[in-house]
Amino acid sequence: MENHGGRSSGARSRRTQAERDAITVEIGYALCSAAFAAALLFGAVVGPVFAFGLAGGARHTLVASGATAAAVLFVARVVSVLVRFGRGAGSHGSQPSQPGRTSPDS
């Protein structure tokens, strides 16, 4: 049964524990940094509501704008961090399997 499980993954190789740990850390970093950036943006946009005691339509507009901008920033930050990590991880796979070996031309 173990061979069948290995073959079902196709051409994809199994990830090592270090690779899985790196992915977990990167996802955590992406989520935390995105939440921090979104909170800062939301606070910057909604801050005048509390600083100047705005009410009515201006309050609603600023809160809605801040929430929308924060949500967009959150998604954009998570995607950019994970895409950058994916590109970096992909380049490691193209390295020679034996460090220190070079081609005869070098």
Side-chain angles (χ1 to χ4, degrees):
M1 280 299 213
E2 287 183 36
N3 285 341
H4 182 270
R7 276 190 255 151
S8 67
S9 65
R12 297 181 72 178
S13 63
R14 292 186 173 203
R15 290 189 172 120
T16 65
Q17 184 63 43
E19 290 171 330
R20 289 192 304 266
D21 290 347
I23 291 168
T24 302
V25 168
E26 200 65 25
I27 290 170
Y29 169 73
L31 292 173
C32 289
S33 68
F36 182 74
L40 282 178
L41 179 62
F42 182 77
V45 173
V46 179
V49 169
F50 298 107
F52 301 117
L54 300 177
R59 179 183 184 138
H60 176 73
T61 301
L62 283 175
V63 170
S65 298
T68 302
V72 169
L73 177 64
F74 180 86
V75 170
R77 176 68 180 161
V78 168
V79 168
S80 71
V81 168
L82 295 179
V83 165
R84 190 172 2 145
F85 175 74
R87 286 184 184 153
S91 67
H92 295 295
S94 63
Q95 295 294 320
S97 59
Q98 297 177 336
R101 288 227 159 169
T102 59
S103 66
D105 297 335
S106 58

Coordinates of all heavy atoms in Angstrom, one line a residue:
M1 N 0.8 -1.2 0.0 CA 0.0 0.0 0.0 C 0.9 1.3 0.0 O 0.5 2.3 -0.5 CB -0.9 0.0 1.2 CG -2.1 -0.8 1.1 SD -3.1 -0.2 -0.3 CE -4.7 -0.5 0.2
E2 N 2.0 1.2 0.6 CA 2.8 2.4 0.7 C 3.3 2.9 -0.7 O 3.4 4.1 -1.0 CB 4.1 2.2 1.6 CG 3.7 2.1 3.0 CD 4.9 2.0 3.9 OE1 5.9 2.6 3.6 OE2 4.8 1.3 4.9
N3 N 3.6 1.9 -1.6 CA 4.1 2.3 -2.9 C 2.9 3.0 -3.7 O 3.2 3.9 -4.4 CB 4.5 1.1 -3.7 CG 5.9 0.6 -3.3 OD1 6.6 1.4 -2.6 ND2 6.2 -0.6 -3.6
H4 N 1.7 2.5 -3.5 CA 0.6 3.1 -4.2 C 0.4 4.6 -3.8 O 0.2 5.4 -4.6 CB -0.7 2.3 -3.9 CG -1.9 2.9 -4.7 ND1 -2.7 3.8 -4.1 CD2 -2.3 2.6 -5.9 CE1 -3.6 4.2 -5.0 NE2 -3.4 3.5 -6.1
G5 N 0.6 4.8 -2.5 CA 0.5 6.2 -2.0 C 1.5 7.1 -2.5 O 1.3 8.3 -2.8
G6 N 2.7 6.6 -2.7 CA 3.8 7.4 -3.3 C 3.6 7.7 -4.8 O 3.9 8.7 -5.3
R7 N 3.0 6.7 -5.5 CA 2.8 6.9 -6.9 C 1.6 7.8 -7.2 O 1.6 8.5 -8.2 CB 2.5 5.5 -7.6 CG 3.8 4.9 -7.9 CD 3.5 3.7 -8.8 NE 3.7 2.5 -7.9 CZ 3.1 1.4 -8.1 NH1 2.2 1.2 -9.0 NH2 3.3 0.4 -7.3
S8 N 0.6 7.9 -6.3 CA -0.6 8.7 -6.5 C -0.2 10.2 -6.6 O -1.0 11.0 -7.1 CB -1.6 8.4 -5.5 OG -1.2 8.9 -4.2
S9 N 0.9 10.6 -6.0 CA 1.3 12.0 -6.1 C 1.8 12.4 -7.4 O 2.1 13.6 -7.7 CB 2.3 12.3 -5.0 OG 3.5 11.6 -5.2
G10 N 2.0 11.5 -8.3 CA 2.5 11.8 -9.7 C 3.9 12.3 -9.7 O 4.8 11.7 -9.0
A11 N 4.2 13.3 -10.4 CA 5.6 13.8 -10.6 C 6.0 14.6 -9.3 O 7.2 14.9 -9.2 CB 5.7 14.6 -11.8
R12 N 5.1 15.0 -8.5 CA 5.4 15.8 -7.3 C 6.2 15.0 -6.3 O 5.8 13.9 -6.0 CB 4.2 16.4 -6.7 CG 3.5 17.3 -7.7 CD 2.3 17.9 -7.0 NE 2.7 18.9 -6.0 CZ 1.9 19.6 -5.3 NH1 0.6 19.5 -5.5 NH2 2.3 20.4 -4.4
S13 N 7.2 15.5 -5.8 CA 8.0 14.8 -4.8 C 7.4 15.2 -3.4 O 6.8 16.2 -3.2 CB 9.5 15.2 -4.8 OG 9.6 16.6 -4.6
R14 N 7.6 14.4 -2.4 CA 7.2 14.7 -1.1 C 8.0 15.8 -0.5 O 9.2 15.9 -0.7 CB 7.2 13.4 -0.2 CG 6.3 12.4 -0.6 CD 6.3 11.3 0.3 NE 5.2 10.3 0.0 CZ 4.7 9.5 0.9 NH1 5.1 9.5 2.1 NH2 3.7 8.7 0.5
R15 N 7.4 16.6 0.3 CA 8.1 17.7 1.0 C 8.7 17.2 2.3 O 8.2 16.4 3.0 CB 7.1 18.8 1.3 CG 6.6 19.5 0.1 CD 5.8 20.7 0.6 NE 5.5 21.5 -0.6 CZ 4.2 21.8 -1.0 NH1 3.2 21.4 -0.3 NH2 4.0 22.5 -2.1
T16 N 9.9 17.7 2.5 CA 10.6 17.4 3.8 C 9.9 18.1 4.9 O 9.2 19.1 4.7 CB 12.1 17.7 3.7 OG1 12.2 19.2 3.6 CG2 12.7 17.1 2.5
Q17 N 10.3 17.7 6.1 CA 9.7 18.4 7.3 C 10.2 19.9 7.3 O 9.4 20.8 7.7 CB 10.2 17.7 8.6 CG 9.6 18.3 9.8 CD 8.0 18.2 9.9 OE1 7.5 17.2 9.5 NE2 7.4 19.3 10.3
A18 N 11.4 20.1 6.9 CA 11.9 21.5 6.9 C 11.1 22.3 5.9 O 10.8 23.5 6.2 CB 13.4 21.5 6.5
E19 N 10.8 21.8 4.7 CA 10.0 22.5 3.8 C 8.6 22.8 4.3 O 8.1 23.9 4.1 CB 9.9 21.7 2.4 CG 11.2 21.7 1.7 CD 11.2 20.7 0.5 OE1 10.4 19.7 0.6 OE2 11.9 21.0 -0.5
R20 N 8.0 21.8 5.0 CA 6.7 22.0 5.5 C 6.7 23.1 6.6 O 5.8 23.9 6.7 CB 6.1 20.7 6.1 CG 5.7 19.8 5.0 CD 4.9 18.6 5.5 NE 5.5 17.9 6.6 CZ 6.2 16.8 6.4 NH1 6.4 16.3 5.2 NH2 6.8 16.2 7.5
D21 N 7.8 23.1 7.4 CA 7.9 24.1 8.5 C 8.1 25.5 7.9 O 7.5 26.4 8.4 CB 9.1 23.7 9.4 CG 8.9 22.5 10.2 OD1 7.7 22.1 10.4 OD2 9.9 22.0 10.8
A22 N 8.9 25.6 6.8 CA 9.1 26.8 6.1 C 7.8 27.4 5.6 O 7.5 28.6 5.7 CB 10.1 26.7 5.0
I23 N 7.0 26.5 5.0 CA 5.7 27.0 4.5 C 4.8 27.5 5.6 O 4.1 28.5 5.5 CB 5.0 25.8 3.7 CG1 5.8 25.5 2.4 CG2 3.6 26.1 3.4 CD1 5.4 24.3 1.7
T24 N 4.8 26.7 6.7 CA 4.0 27.1 7.9 C 4.4 28.5 8.4 O 3.5 29.3 8.7 CB 4.0 26.1 9.0 OG1 3.6 24.8 8.4 CG2 3.2 26.4 10.2
V25 N 5.7 28.7 8.5 CA 6.2 29.9 9.0 C 5.8 31.1 8.1 O 5.4 32.2 8.5 CB 7.7 29.9 9.3 CG1 8.3 31.2 9.5 CG2 8.0 28.9 10.4
E26 N 6.0 30.8 6.8 CA 5.7 31.8 5.8 C 4.2 32.2 5.8 O 3.9 33.4 5.6 CB 6.1 31.4 4.4 CG 6.4 32.5 3.4 CD 7.5 33.4 3.8 OE1 8.4 33.0 4.5 OE2 7.4 34.6 3.3
I27 N 3.3 31.2 5.9 CA 1.9 31.5 6.0 C 1.6 32.4 7.2 O 0.9 33.3 7.2 CB 1.1 30.2 6.0 CG1 1.2 29.6 4.6 CG2 -0.4 30.5 6.3 CD1 0.6 28.2 4.5
G28 N 2.2 32.0 8.4 CA 2.0 32.8 9.6 C 2.5 34.2 9.4 O 1.8 35.1 9.8
Y29 N 3.7 34.3 8.8 CA 4.2 35.7 8.6 C 3.3 36.5 7.7 O 3.0 37.7 7.9 CB 5.6 35.6 8.0 CG 6.1 36.9 7.5 CD1 6.5 37.9 8.3 CD2 6.2 37.2 6.1 CE1 7.0 39.2 7.9 CE2 6.6 38.4 5.6 CZ 7.0 39.4 6.5 OH 7.4 40.6 6.0
A30 N 2.8 35.9 6.6 CA 1.9 36.5 5.7 C 0.7 37.0 6.4 O 0.2 38.2 6.2 CB 1.6 35.6 4.5
L31 N 0.1 36.2 7.2 CA -1.2 36.5 7.9 C -0.9 37.6 8.9 O -1.7 38.6 9.0 CB -1.8 35.3 8.5 CG -2.3 34.3 7.5 CD1 -2.8 33.0 8.3 CD2 -3.5 34.8 6.7
C32 N 0.1 37.5 9.7 CA 0.4 38.5 10.7 C 0.8 39.8 10.2 O 0.3 40.9 10.6 CB 1.5 38.0 11.7 SG 1.0 36.6 12.7
S33 N 1.6 39.8 9.2 CA 2.0 41.1 8.6 C 0.9 41.8 7.8 O 0.7 43.0 7.9 CB 3.2 41.0 7.7 OG 2.9 40.2 6.5
A34 N 0.0 41.0 7.2 CA -1.2 41.5 6.5 C -2.1 42.1 7.5 O -2.7 43.2 7.3 CB -1.8 40.4 5.7
A35 N -2.4 41.4 8.6 CA -3.3 41.9 9.7 C -2.8 43.2 10.3 O -3.5 44.1 10.5 CB -3.5 40.8 10.7
F36 N -1.5 43.3 10.5 CA -0.9 44.5 11.1 C -1.0 45.7 10.1 O -1.5 46.8 10.5 CB 0.6 44.2 11.4 CG 1.3 45.4 12.0 CD1 1.0 45.8 13.3 CD2 2.2 46.2 11.3 CE1 1.6 46.9 13.9 CE2 2.8 47.3 11.9 CZ 2.5 47.6 13.2
A37 N -0.7 45.4 8.8 CA -0.8 46.5 7.8 C -2.3 46.9 7.6 O -2.5 48.1 7.5 CB -0.2 46.0 6.5
A38 N -3.2 46.0 7.6 CA -4.6 46.3 7.5 C -5.1 47.1 8.7 O -5.9 48.0 8.5 CB -5.4 45.0 7.3
A39 N -4.7 46.7 9.9 CA -5.1 47.4 11.1 C -4.6 48.9 11.1 O -5.3 49.8 11.4 CB -4.6 46.7 12.3
L40 N -3.3 49.0 10.6 CA -2.8 50.4 10.5 C -3.5 51.3 9.5 O -3.9 52.4 9.8 CB -1.3 50.3 10.1 CG -0.3 50.0 11.2 CD1 1.1 49.9 10.7 CD2 -0.4 51.0 12.4
L41 N -3.8 50.7 8.4 CA -4.6 51.4 7.4 C -6.0 51.8 7.9 O -6.4 52.9 7.7 CB -4.6 50.6 6.1 CG -5.4 51.3 4.9 CD1 -4.8 52.6 4.5 CD2 -5.5 50.4 3.7
F42 N -6.7 50.8 8.5 CA -8.0 51.0 9.0 C -8.0 52.1 10.0 O -8.8 53.1 10.0 CB -8.6 49.8 9.6 CG -10.0 49.9 10.1 CD1 -11.1 50.0 9.2 CD2 -10.2 50.0 11.4 CE1 -12.3 50.1 9.7 CE2 -11.5 50.2 11.9 CZ -12.6 50.2 11.0
G43 N -7.0 52.1 10.9 CA -6.9 53.1 11.9 C -6.6 54.5 11.4 O -7.1 55.5 11.8
A44 N -5.8 54.5 10.3 CA -5.5 55.8 9.7 C -6.7 56.4 9.0 O -6.9 57.6 9.0 CB -4.3 55.6 8.7
V45 N -7.5 55.6 8.4 CA -8.7 56.1 7.7 C -9.8 56.4 8.7 O -10.5 57.4 8.5 CB -9.2 55.1 6.6 CG1 -10.5 55.5 6.0 CG2 -8.1 54.9 5.5
V46 N -10.0 55.6 9.7 CA -11.1 55.8 10.6 C -10.7 56.7 11.8 O -11.6 57.2 12.5 CB -11.6 54.4 11.1 CG1 -12.7 54.5 12.1 CG2 -12.1 53.6 10.0
G47 N -9.5 56.9 12.0 CA -9.0 57.8 13.1 C -9.7 59.1 13.1 O -10.1 59.5 14.3
P48 N -9.9 59.8 12.1 CA -10.6 61.1 12.1 C -12.0 61.1 12.7 O -12.5 62.0 13.3 CB -10.6 61.6 10.7 CG -9.4 60.9 10.1 CD -9.3 59.6 10.7
V49 N -12.6 59.9 12.5 CA -14.0 59.8 13.1 C -13.9 60.0 14.6 O -14.8 60.7 15.2 CB -14.6 58.4 12.8 CG1 -15.9 58.1 13.6 CG2 -14.8 58.3 11.3
F50 N -13.0 59.4 15.3 CA -12.9 59.5 16.7 C -12.1 60.7 17.1 O -12.5 61.3 18.2 CB -12.1 58.2 17.3 CG -12.9 57.0 17.0 CD1 -12.4 56.1 16.1 CD2 -14.0 56.7 17.7 CE1 -13.1 54.9 15.8 CE2 -14.7 55.5 17.4 CZ -14.3 54.6 16.5
A51 N -11.2 61.2 16.4 CA -10.4 62.4 16.7 C -11.3 63.7 16.6 O -11.2 64.6 17.5 CB -9.2 62.6 15.8
F52 N -12.2 63.7 15.6 CA -13.0 64.9 15.4 C -14.5 64.7 15.8 O -15.3 65.6 15.6 CB -12.8 65.4 14.0 CG -11.4 65.7 13.6 CD1 -10.8 65.0 12.6 CD2 -10.7 66.7 14.3 CE1 -9.5 65.3 12.3 CE2 -9.4 67.0 13.9 CZ -8.8 66.3 12.9
G53 N -14.8 63.5 16.3 CA -16.2 63.3 16.7 C -17.2 63.4 15.5 O -18.3 63.9 15.7
L54 N -16.8 62.9 14.4 CA -17.7 63.0 13.2 C -18.9 62.0 13.4 O -18.8 61.0 14.1 CB -16.9 62.5 11.9 CG -15.7 63.4 11.6 CD1 -15.0 62.8 10.3 CD2 -16.1 64.8 11.3
A55 N -20.0 62.4 12.8 CA -21.2 61.7 13.0 C -21.9 61.6 11.6 O -21.6 62.3 10.7 CB -22.1 62.3 14.0
G56 N -22.9 60.7 11.5 CA -23.7 60.7 10.3 C -23.1 60.0 9.1 O -22.4 59.0 9.3
G57 N -23.3 60.7 8.0 CA -22.8 60.1 6.7 C -21.3 60.1 6.6 O -20.7 59.1 6.1
A58 N -20.6 61.1 7.2 CA -19.1 61.1 7.1 C -18.6 59.9 7.9 O -17.6 59.3 7.4 CB -18.6 62.4 7.6
R59 N -19.2 59.6 9.0 CA -18.7 58.5 9.9 C -18.9 57.2 9.1 O -18.0 56.4 9.1 CB -19.4 58.5 11.2 CG -19.1 57.4 12.1 CD -19.9 57.4 13.3 NE -19.4 56.3 14.2 CZ -19.2 56.4 15.5 NH1 -19.5 57.6 16.1 NH2 -18.8 55.4 16.2
H60 N -20.0 57.0 8.6 CA -20.3 55.8 7.9 C -19.4 55.6 6.6 O -18.9 54.5 6.4 CB -21.8 55.7 7.4 CG -22.1 54.5 6.6 ND1 -22.2 53.3 7.1 CD2 -22.4 54.4 5.2 CE1 -22.5 52.4 6.2 NE2 -22.6 53.1 5.0
T61 N -19.2 56.7 5.9 CA -18.4 56.7 4.7 C -16.9 56.3 5.1 O -16.3 55.5 4.4 CB -18.4 58.0 4.0 OG1 -19.7 58.3 3.6 CG2 -17.5 58.0 2.7
L62 N -16.4 56.9 6.1 CA -15.0 56.7 6.5 C -14.8 55.2 7.0 O -13.8 54.6 6.7 CB -14.5 57.7 7.5 CG -14.2 59.0 7.0 CD1 -13.8 60.0 8.1 CD2 -13.0 59.0 6.0
V63 N -15.8 54.8 7.8 CA -15.7 53.4 8.3 C -15.8 52.4 7.2 O -15.0 51.4 7.1 CB -16.7 53.1 9.4 CG1 -16.8 51.7 9.8 CG2 -16.5 54.0 10.7
A64 N -16.7 52.6 6.3 CA -16.8 51.7 5.1 C -15.6 51.7 4.2 O -15.1 50.7 3.8 CB -18.1 52.0 4.3
S65 N -15.1 52.9 4.0 CA -13.9 53.1 3.2 C -12.7 52.4 3.8 O -11.9 51.7 3.2 CB -13.6 54.5 2.9 OG -14.6 55.1 2.2
G66 N -12.5 52.6 5.1 CA -11.4 52.0 5.9 C -11.5 50.5 5.9 O -10.5 49.8 5.7
A67 N -12.7 50.0 6.1 CA -12.8 48.5 6.1 C -12.6 47.9 4.7 O -11.9 46.9 4.6 CB -14.3 48.1 6.5
T68 N -13.0 48.6 3.7 CA -12.8 48.1 2.3 C -11.3 48.1 2.0 O -10.7 47.2 1.5 CB -13.6 48.9 1.3 OG1 -15.0 48.8 1.6 CG2 -13.4 48.4 -0.1
A69 N -10.7 49.3 2.3 CA -9.2 49.4 2.0 C -8.4 48.4 2.8 O -7.5 47.8 2.3 CB -8.8 50.8 2.3
A70 N -8.8 48.2 4.0 CA -8.0 47.3 4.9 C -8.2 45.8 4.4 O -7.2 45.1 4.3 CB -8.5 47.3 6.3
A71 N -9.4 45.5 3.9 CA -9.6 44.1 3.4 C -8.8 43.9 2.1 O -8.2 42.8 1.9 CB -11.1 43.9 3.1
V72 N -8.8 44.9 1.2 CA -8.0 44.8 0.0 C -6.5 44.7 0.3 O -5.8 43.9 -0.3 CB -8.3 46.0 -0.9 CG1 -7.4 46.1 -2.1 CG2 -9.8 45.9 -1.4
L73 N -6.0 45.5 1.2 CA -4.6 45.5 1.6 C -4.3 44.1 2.2 O -3.2 43.6 1.9 CB -4.3 46.6 2.6 CG -2.8 46.6 3.1 CD1 -1.9 46.9 1.9 CD2 -2.7 47.6 4.2
F74 N -5.1 43.6 3.0 CA -4.9 42.3 3.7 C -4.7 41.2 2.6 O -3.7 40.5 2.6 CB -6.0 41.9 4.6 CG -5.8 40.6 5.3 CD1 -5.1 40.6 6.5 CD2 -6.4 39.4 4.8 CE1 -5.0 39.3 7.2 CE2 -6.2 38.2 5.4 CZ -5.5 38.2 6.6
V75 N -5.6 41.1 1.7 CA -5.5 40.1 0.6 C -4.3 40.3 -0.2 O -3.6 39.3 -0.5 CB -6.8 40.1 -0.2 CG1 -6.7 39.2 -1.4 CG2 -8.0 39.6 0.6
A76 N -4.0 41.6 -0.6 CA -2.9 41.8 -1.5 C -1.6 41.5 -0.8 O -0.7 40.9 -1.4 CB -2.9 43.3 -1.9
R77 N -1.5 41.8 0.5 CA -0.2 41.5 1.3 C 0.0 40.0 1.4 O 1.1 39.5 1.2 CB -0.3 42.1 2.7 CG 0.8 41.8 3.6 CD 2.1 42.4 3.1 NE 3.2 42.1 4.0 CZ 4.5 42.1 3.7 NH1 4.8 42.6 2.5 NH2 5.4 41.8 4.5
V78 N -1.1 39.2 1.7 CA -1.0 37.8 1.9 C -0.5 37.2 0.5 O 0.4 36.4 0.5 CB -2.3 37.1 2.4 CG1 -2.2 35.6 2.2 CG2 -2.5 37.5 3.8
V79 N -1.2 37.6 -0.5 CA -0.9 37.0 -1.9 C 0.6 37.4 -2.3 O 1.3 36.5 -2.7 CB -1.9 37.5 -2.9 CG1 -1.4 37.2 -4.3 CG2 -3.3 36.9 -2.7
S80 N 1.0 38.6 -2.1 CA 2.3 39.0 -2.5 C 3.4 38.2 -1.7 O 4.4 37.8 -2.3 CB 2.5 40.5 -2.3 OG 2.6 40.9 -1.0
V81 N 3.2 38.1 -0.4 CA 4.2 37.3 0.4 C 4.3 35.9 0.0 O 5.4 35.3 -0.2 CB 3.9 37.4 1.9 CG1 4.7 36.5 2.7 CG2 4.1 38.9 2.4
L82 N 3.1 35.2 -0.2 CA 3.1 33.8 -0.6 C 3.6 33.6 -2.0 O 4.3 32.6 -2.2 CB 1.7 33.2 -0.3 CG 1.3 33.2 1.1 CD1 -0.1 32.6 1.2 CD2 2.3 32.5 2.0
V83 N 3.3 34.5 -2.9 CA 3.8 34.3 -4.3 C 5.3 34.5 -4.3 O 6.1 33.7 -4.9 CB 3.2 35.4 -5.2 CG1 3.9 35.5 -6.5 CG2 1.7 35.0 -5.5
R84 N 5.8 35.5 -3.6 CA 7.3 35.7 -3.5 C 8.0 34.5 -2.9 O 9.0 34.1 -3.3 CB 7.6 37.0 -2.7 CG 9.0 37.4 -2.7 CD 9.3 38.7 -2.1 NE 8.1 39.3 -1.5 CZ 8.0 40.0 -0.4 NH1 9.1 40.2 0.3 NH2 6.9 40.4 0.1
F85 N 7.4 33.9 -1.8 CA 7.9 32.7 -1.2 C 7.9 31.5 -2.2 O 8.9 30.8 -2.3 CB 7.1 32.3 0.0 CG 7.6 31.0 0.7 CD1 8.8 31.0 1.4 CD2 6.8 29.9 0.5 CE1 9.2 29.8 1.9 CE2 7.2 28.7 1.1 CZ 8.4 28.7 1.8
G86 N 6.8 31.4 -2.9 CA 6.7 30.3 -3.9 C 7.8 30.4 -5.0 O 8.3 29.4 -5.4
R87 N 8.0 31.6 -5.4 CA 9.1 31.8 -6.4 C 10.4 31.5 -5.9 O 11.3 30.9 -6.6 CB 9.1 33.3 -7.0 CG 7.9 33.5 -7.9 CD 8.0 34.9 -8.4 NE 6.8 35.2 -9.2 CZ 6.3 36.4 -9.4 NH1 6.9 37.5 -8.8 NH2 5.3 36.6 -10.1
G88 N 10.7 31.9 -4.7 CA 12.0 31.6 -4.0 C 12.2 30.1 -3.8 O 13.3 29.6 -4.0
A89 N 11.1 29.4 -3.4 CA 11.2 28.0 -3.1 C 11.4 27.2 -4.4 O 12.1 26.2 -4.4 CB 9.9 27.5 -2.4
G90 N 10.8 27.7 -5.5 CA 10.9 27.0 -6.8 C 12.3 27.1 -7.3 O 12.8 26.2 -7.9
S91 N 13.1 28.2 -7.0 CA 14.4 28.3 -7.5 C 15.4 27.4 -6.8 O 16.4 27.0 -7.4 CB 14.9 29.8 -7.4 OG 15.1 30.1 -6.0
H92 N 15.1 27.0 -5.6 CA 15.9 26.1 -4.9 C 15.9 24.7 -5.5 O 16.8 23.9 -5.4 CB 15.6 26.0 -3.4 CG 15.8 27.3 -2.7 ND1 17.1 27.8 -2.5 CD2 15.0 28.2 -2.1 CE1 17.0 28.9 -1.9 NE2 15.7 29.2 -1.6
G93 N 14.7 24.3 -6.1 CA 14.5 23.0 -6.6 C 15.4 22.8 -7.9 O 15.7 21.7 -8.3
S94 N 15.8 23.9 -8.5 CA 16.6 23.8 -9.7 C 18.1 23.7 -9.5 O 18.9 23.6 -10.4 CB 16.3 25.0 -10.7 OG 16.7 26.2 -10.0
Q95 N 18.5 23.8 -8.2 CA 19.9 23.7 -7.8 C 20.4 22.2 -8.0 O 19.6 21.3 -7.8 CB 20.1 24.1 -6.4 CG 19.8 25.6 -6.2 CD 20.7 26.5 -6.9 OE1 21.9 26.2 -6.9 NE2 20.2 27.5 -7.5
P96 N 21.7 22.0 -8.2 CA 22.2 20.7 -8.3 C 22.0 19.9 -7.0 O 22.0 20.5 -5.9 CB 23.7 20.9 -8.5 CG 23.9 22.3 -8.6 CD 22.7 23.0 -8.4
S97 N 21.8 18.6 -7.1 CA 21.5 17.8 -5.9 C 22.8 17.6 -5.0 O 22.7 17.2 -3.9 CB 20.9 16.5 -6.2 OG 21.8 15.8 -7.1
Q98 N 23.9 17.9 -5.6 CA 25.2 17.7 -4.9 C 25.9 19.0 -4.8 O 26.5 19.5 -5.8 CB 26.1 16.6 -5.6 CG 25.4 15.3 -5.7 CD 26.3 14.3 -6.5 OE1 27.1 14.7 -7.3 NE2 26.1 13.0 -6.2
P99 N 25.9 19.7 -3.7 CA 26.5 21.0 -3.5 C 28.0 20.9 -3.8 O 28.7 19.9 -3.5 CB 26.3 21.3 -2.1 CG 25.1 20.5 -1.6 CD 25.2 19.2 -2.5
G100 N 28.5 21.9 -4.4 CA 30.0 21.9 -4.7 C 30.3 21.4 -6.1 O 31.4 21.6 -6.6
R101 N 29.4 20.7 -6.7 CA 29.6 20.2 -8.1 C 29.2 21.3 -9.1 O 28.2 22.0 -9.0 CB 28.7 19.0 -8.4 CG 29.2 17.8 -7.6 CD 29.2 16.7 -8.6 NE 30.1 15.6 -8.1 CZ 30.1 14.5 -8.7 NH1 29.3 14.2 -9.7 NH2 30.9 13.6 -8.3
T102 N 30.1 21.5 -10.0 CA 29.8 22.4 -11.1 C 30.0 21.7 -12.4 O 30.6 20.6 -12.5 CB 30.8 23.6 -11.0 OG1 32.2 23.1 -11.1 CG2 30.6 24.4 -9.7
S103 N 29.6 22.4 -13.5 CA 29.7 21.8 -14.8 C 31.2 21.9 -15.2 O 31.9 22.8 -14.8 CB 28.8 22.5 -15.8 OG 29.2 23.8 -16.0
P104 N 31.7 21.1 -16.2 CA 33.1 21.2 -16.6 C 33.4 22.5 -17.3 O 34.6 22.9 -17.3 CB 33.2 20.1 -17.6 CG 32.0 19.2 -17.4 CD 31.0 20.0 -16.7
D105 N 32.4 23.2 -17.8 CA 32.6 24.5 -18.4 C 32.9 25.7 -17.5 O 33.4 26.7 -17.9 CB 31.4 24.9 -19.3 CG 31.2 23.9 -20.4 OD1 32.2 23.2 -20.8 OD2 30.1 23.8 -20.9
S106 N 32.6 25.5 -16.2 CA 32.8 26.6 -15.3 C 34.2 26.8 -14.8 O 35.1 26.1 -14.9 CB 31.8 26.5 -14.1 OG 32.1 25.3 -13.4

